[in-house]
Amino acid sequence: MAVFDTPQAAFGALRPVCVQLTRAQTVENVRQLQAHLAGVSGAALQELQEYVLFPLRFALRVPGPKQERLVQSLVQCISSVLAATCVKKQELLQELFSELCTCLAPPPSSGKAAPLSEELKLAVIQALHTLMHSAYGDVILSLYQPSTLPLLGFAVSLLLTLAEQEKAKQIKISALECLQVLVLQCDCQEHRHLDEDEAQQCGDLFASFLPGISIALSRVIAADIKQGHKPTVSAIRLFYLIVGLVMADKQLARIPKSKEKLPVEHSRISELMIHRGPDWTKSTAEKLSLLLHKVVESSSVHPHWKVRLELVELVHHLLRNCSQSLVDSFSHLLKALVGLVNDENSEVQSRCNKILQEIAEQRIVAQNRALVDVLSENLHSLSTALPRLMNSQDDTGKVSTLSLLLGYLKLLGPKINIVLNSVSHLQRLSKALVQVLELDVTDVKIVEARRSGPPGPLQQSVQKGRRQKKYFRFFTEEKVLQLLQQVCRVLGYYGNLYLLVDHFMGLYNESGLYRKQAAMILNELVTGAAGLGVDFLQAREVPLNVDDLKGSITSILDEYMDQANWYLVTGIDTEESSPEQSVQHSGRSVCAGGASSSVLLLSPEPPVTTRTMNSNIWQICIQLEGVGCFAAVLGKEFQLLLLSALYPVLEKAGDRTLLISETALGTLADICEACGYDSVQCLINENSDYLVNGISLHLRQLAYQARASQVLDTMLRHSDASLLPLIEDVIQDVLSALDQSYNSQASTFLRVLHSVMTALVQWFGMPSAEEHQTDKGQSGTRSQGQQEVTMTSQEVERFFLDYVSQKQIAEGDLPDLEEEEADEVPLAKPEPNSDMEGEAPMPSHAQVARDVMERCIHLLSDGSLRVRLKVLDVLELCVTVLHPHGNHLLPMAHRVWPALVTRLIGDDPLAVLRAFKVLCTLAQTCGDFLRQRFSKDVLPKLTSSLLSQAPVSARAGPVYSHTLAFKLQLAVLQGLGSLCERLDMGESDLNKVADACLIYLSAKQPVKLQEAAQSVFLHLMHVDPDSTWLLLNEVCCPEGYEPPHASLHPVKLSGMGRPRNEFTDNVLLLLQRLQQQEGTGPGTSTQEASPS
Amino acid sequence: MPQNQAAFCDNQGCVRSENGLIHVWNLKTHRVDTALDGHGRKSVYCVETMGGKERLLSQGRDQRICLWDLAEGRTSVTDSVFTEHVGFCRCSLLKVAQGRWLMAMAARSLEEVQILELPSKTSVCTLKPEVGAKLGMPMCLKLWQLSCGSQPVLLAGYEDGSVVLWNVSMGKVLSQLICHQEPVMSLDFDSEKAKGISGSSEKVLSIWSLNEQQNLQVYKTHELVNAGISDITIRPDKKILATAGWDHRIRIFGWKKLKPLAVLDYHTATVHCVSFSDHSKPQERLLAAGSKDQRISVWSIYAQT
């Protein structure tokens, strides 16, 4: 189809169609016109606009009923004309507007909307929409004069009805969009921006519609979800646009006091006009508040995120434009906004955050006292309800409640202090926090979990800043805790730190019920005050004063580390009497003595339940975490506080409760990081003067001894050899303290001594141990080498000679060997040792070891088994440390011997076992020095007891393995083998041992004893394979031996040819092992050797 | 080498000498702020502040008395006096005017005491006992004056156990009192009550008073459990006094009636000296004691009420 560019050409083309339409108003004609219109260019059509519109309008205006289809096509045609042209005349606009509206008007008789087809309605709405867009610049404003108010009102009510009552989604949306255009708030950019006066005028005008529009819209918004999200979104948008326009603070501020008088001819209309005075504003705001509440309620939980997003926009828009006029509604609006911060949809979330940020940045809240009031009121009611909500809601509910709380605080920002200064507000808030943070203290495991024994590896891998996971009574979700932390931090960030610290310290001291929570809150407050980990919307006005912070921290620390709060009962170990208990105990005894009274604080306590202990443990942990927090907050400044803080923390690091010691280690790591130390070790070494001072002071008071020793213990476990010179003094103090209280505190001090010795072994003991091992290794290979040489006659001869000389040595006949002599010296005359001592000064660690060993001698015969066991452990370590200093070790060994022998012979099997261990270590280091004593003092008794017990155990039933006698037997058998090997015993002693153990190879013995006896023989095989072989073969000989030469006697062993008996199995097993050990050669060599 | 220690407190620090080094301790951090080396690593047996903590006087076994300037972190010897005295007698300092001190010290010849004016180092007089008095070496000195501007007076304890009151301006003995059978180890004097106290290596503390005729009279003696007192100090408020004992203990007495108040048991060797700080708040005043066991103990004597 040709395109008509010029008006003339277009006119030529359109004229017949228009004439035709004027004559007969049929759908067909309208369609023809529309078809022709498509071929006319926009510019040309503009010229012909009125001409073309005329027949269409005429057709519409023809009185009488019309076909709906006709009307629809007419309206569509009009709208297509309008879409391509623009309306330049005011009259045309108004007429068209009213004509279009009339199309939808109901018959004058009925009050209901005309029962028109949906297509028609849609067409009219779209035509109106197009009309509004095609109106040219100022022309459109002519529609917004007081005189056109009825017309506008008519249109508005029409559209509202459509939006509200129509079923079709499309119509609803179009109607709402059309309305939006109608109130001059179209989204598109084409419109001219209204200047202030014009906007004011429109605001006046629209004020008349506000009630109708807002009510209708709120119904639309709150309508069934089934209508889909789009109408709701449009309705919300329209709602806030119109409210924002009419109730705009800027406009309201300019409203004159009294109503303007309009010219007389408009008097009727002027009645319709509304004066937006203060009274009107107030009442409207009240009504709107109700509506807004409804809107917020329904849309904040709307399932579609776009609706919620639009709600956010609503709050934003109103807050920006109407923060004064609608102040009462903001309690709902802000609640919605803050609540949506945690929306599941990320877009809503980010938008919310952005808006909150913007609000804070523009200081909308800060500058508006009324808003602060609203917020603080919200805060108040929320904190009142918080405990209940926390109790009843599920985790998601809790999260949203708390984020609401957090949002309020953040919005208040620096104005928080206004809230905090009100006693009731502060009290509510703090009580709520305290109640919500209540810990669950029913877990028994926490009380039970003990630090694994002190000798374990140094725990260097301490995680920094890791907090212990806490279990709360009212929630389990981690997110909830994070929110609560944020709440506290934000409080600390903005709030008056002195006030807050003072208040929560008050709670802390008020009742044991609040203590843990208050401490937790205090920790977070301080963290927040320093601005660490706070998520805030606007920076505070006054930067933090470091001195204030330091002052607060110091006072909190003092309180935390106060006796009554730091030393709590965390366990009721009966065995090693937990430090706290012993403190209590000794505290009483001290009080009886009338010396110290401060310890009394602890004594009169009701019986301690697991619950209280758990609670105490947590309290200590929280306080420890607090110390870590404070360190992190103060950084290097914390160094000054180390003087008072380091000691208690180390004390707790040595606590026996796992949780406490772990937390304390975490705290230490925090301190290291804060003060710039590379490791805990550095921290301890560099500050050892503080610690040593504390220890030496506390060691002087009985009640504190246990704790002081804990500190030393921890120091030792986390440091290295460089610490030794620093703590030598203190070790001496410990020893002298021990000297004064052997009875009561022995076990406490033994723990320290144990850790001292463990540390010494670790720091200084290693090289000697290695040396020793290589020594042994060499001798081992040497003996192997000797035996693996293939036998020649010379060698056989030499073997005999060796054998003879060995035998003589064993019998004590031939003491000429150098080695022997050297060993003999210390035995015969111990005096030369003291001379040696004078020559080479002992290294300090060896001195310590010697001093400790000295104490061990006294304590070896302590009444308590536990103490004796511990002493034996310590003794073993002492021996290891002293090993390289034989001149000192041997005299000490000499002195230890009698006490040790008593342990070996007549003590509990456990002690015997340990004593054996000590003996083995001693044997390793002292070697021959002990041989004779052992064979004289110990061996006879051991063998005889073994022999006498054997028949008992052989006969005994299964219960026997639980008896002491059994354990003793087992212990002896298990230890004897290695001992013989270590001590390099003589043949006669070995025979004794072998004889005693042989009966335990019987199958009648309990299996464990059999195994232990086997182990003895395995050791004996190492020492003297030949005689062992012979002995075993005497019992049972599996095979016969042919002499290699006729001149030799046939071998006759008493074990040959015996029937199978109780020993056979074990002996065969041992022989087999012997065979393996010796390889191929020894079998023949022994065979040749034995007959001699 | 014997470890000789002197200790005293001022508002912030505590000074201790050891191995010829003077350590200035910070009582807040409990760490050494500065170490002063001015006596050629010979042991220092007397340290005094000269009004405030900026100026310091120290006396060492190198027979020198050094004046230190510690202001603004300096650590320099401003002046020194060669005493030529070989004993252990500590010098005594008296402030007579702003920036002017009198110092009494044992002089070269055995029985003499010399009075110098500081900082000019001009000799004021030399106090020489009468020929044949046989007092022996001076063991301890205490310069004092009744009130500002009045005649300075010196109390000196001698080897033979006597305490002598000298008129410094006239160089004359005013009074002499034999308090002890053994050398006087230490003395202190309360000019308000005109009473003094001295200790020796015996088991007894001797309290004597000074009457209006400037005569020393034995007022009272106090029997001790263990013998040997190395230092006696009356607290500046004249309420209590502390003694440093050879029995490793510090004893606190009420000054008025010499009522025993406390035995401070901490050291493991002879206590050499005791000293009180003069903090403006009584609660924060401290007592420091130095001992042969290489430790200084700092005590808070006031009960916190």
Side-chain angles (χ1 to χ4, degrees), chain A residues 835-949:
Chain A
D835 296 343
M836 301 278 277
E837 232 170 279
E839 283 165 23
M842 236 171 149
S844 59
H845 64 269
Q847 265 167 25
V848 170
R850 194 183 56 183
D851 291 343
V852 172
M853 202 160 165
E854 188 108 23
R855 270 66 179 193
C856 288
I857 296 172
H858 303 305
L859 285 169
L860 262 180
S861 49
D862 192 275
S864 145
L865 173 65
R866 201 160 279 279
V867 171
R868 292 201 301 272
L869 291 178
K870 202 95 194 178
V871 173
L872 287 168
D873 282 345
V874 176
L875 194 61
E876 191 183 347
L877 292 168
C878 290
V879 170
T880 318
V881 174
L882 274 178
H883 174 220
H885 313 278
N887 291 337
H888 303 283
L889 176 60
L890 294 184
M892 289 310 289
H894 171 73
R895 293 180 52 197
V896 166
W897 185 251
L900 191 62
V901 167
T902 328
R903 299 283 79 72
L904 277 170
I905 293 169
D907 206 342
D908 189 276
L910 275 172
V912 172
L913 199 57
R914 299 269 179 113
F916 260 118
K917 259 177 75 193
V918 177
L919 195 60
C920 292
T921 323
L922 259 180
Q924 230 174 52
T925 50
C926 305
D928 307 319
F929 180 66
L930 284 182
R931 188 193 304 148
Q932 208 168 13
R933 290 157 186 256
F934 178 71
S935 65
K936 198 176 88 209
D937 297 339
V938 184
L939 194 59
K941 286 186 179 131
L942 290 182
T943 48
S944 69
S945 86
L946 279 181
L947 286 171
S948 64
Q949 278 295 315

Side-chain angles (χ1 to χ4, degrees), chain A residues 579-599:
Chain A
E580 280 73 19
Q581 282 282 312
S582 70
V583 165
Q584 234 185 52
H585 178 77
S586 51
R588 278 196 204 106
S589 63
V590 166
C591 290
S596 157
S597 62
S598 58
V599 204

Side-chain angles (χ1 to χ4, degrees), chain A residues 950-1061:
Chain A
V952 181
S953 60
R955 261 182 281 121
V959 197
Y960 183 69
S961 65
H962 296 282
T963 60
L964 269 183
F966 171 79
K967 286 177 185 161
L968 190 64
Q969 277 172 312
L970 190 62
V972 172
L973 284 174
Q974 279 173 343
L976 205 52
S978 60
L979 205 60
C980 288
E981 198 177 350
R982 293 267 158 75
L983 288 177
D984 202 11
M985 303 287 285
E987 199 176 319
S988 61
D989 287 332
L990 288 183
N991 285 339
K992 256 188 238 168
V993 171
D995 286 342
C997 296
L998 196 59
I999 31 174
Y1000 285 92
L1001 287 178
S1002 158
K1004 288 177 187 159
Q1005 295 286 345
V1007 181
K1008 275 199 170 172
L1009 293 184
Q1010 287 182 46
E1011 282 167 5
Q1014 281 173 19
S1015 80
V1016 175
F1017 279 99
L1018 288 176
H1019 281 289
L1020 290 181
M1021 282 175 202
H1022 284 280
V1023 183
D1024 192 352
D1026 299 341
S1027 62
T1028 314
W1029 181 87
L1030 186 62
L1031 181 80
L1032 290 174
N1033 272 315
E1034 297 276 329
V1035 178
C1036 169
C1037 182
E1039 45 191 308
Y1041 297 100
E1042 286 294 318
H1045 194 272
S1047 62
L1048 293 165
H1049 293 288
V1051 178
K1052 184 80 180 139
L1053 292 168
S1054 62
M1056 275 177 166
R1058 278 202 195 169
R1060 186 185 163 77
N1061 62 11

Side-chain angles (χ1 to χ4, degrees), chain A residues 640 643 686-687 689-690 693 696-697 700 729 733, chain B residues 25 27-31 265-268 293 295:
Chain A
L640 284 178
L643 176 58
E686 307 232 335
N687 294 293
D689 49 348
Y690 292 163
N693 181 43
S696 95
L697 279 179
R700 281 156 206 275
D729 259 11
D733 282 348
Chain B
W25 288 79
L27 285 183
K28 262 192 191 145
T29 59
H30 292 198
R31 299 232 157 115
D265 187 8
Y266 173 83
H267 290 285
T268 53
D293 65 0
R295 295 188 194 188

Side-chain angles (χ1 to χ4, degrees), chain A residues 345-377:
Chain A
N345 185 289
S346 61
E347 209 160 318
V348 178
Q349 264 186 33
S350 64
R351 182 69 192 146
C352 253
N353 277 321
K354 224 175 125 199
I355 288 172
L356 283 173
Q357 188 83 42
E358 201 181 310
I359 293 173
E361 270 166 16
Q362 293 173 352
R363 305 193 165 268
I364 291 175
V365 174
Q367 288 161 5
N368 191 336
R369 184 65 208 254
L371 264 186
V372 173
D373 287 344
V374 167
L375 279 173
S376 65
E377 218 32 63

Side-chain angles (χ1 to χ4, degrees), chain A residues 15-25 29 51 54-56 58-59 62:
Chain A
R15 188 166 169 266
V17 206
C18 288
V19 171
Q20 178 70 23
L21 180 61
T22 323
R23 284 205 194 111
Q25 293 91 19
N29 287 343
Y51 179 80
F54 175 77
L56 295 168
F58 177 77
V62 172

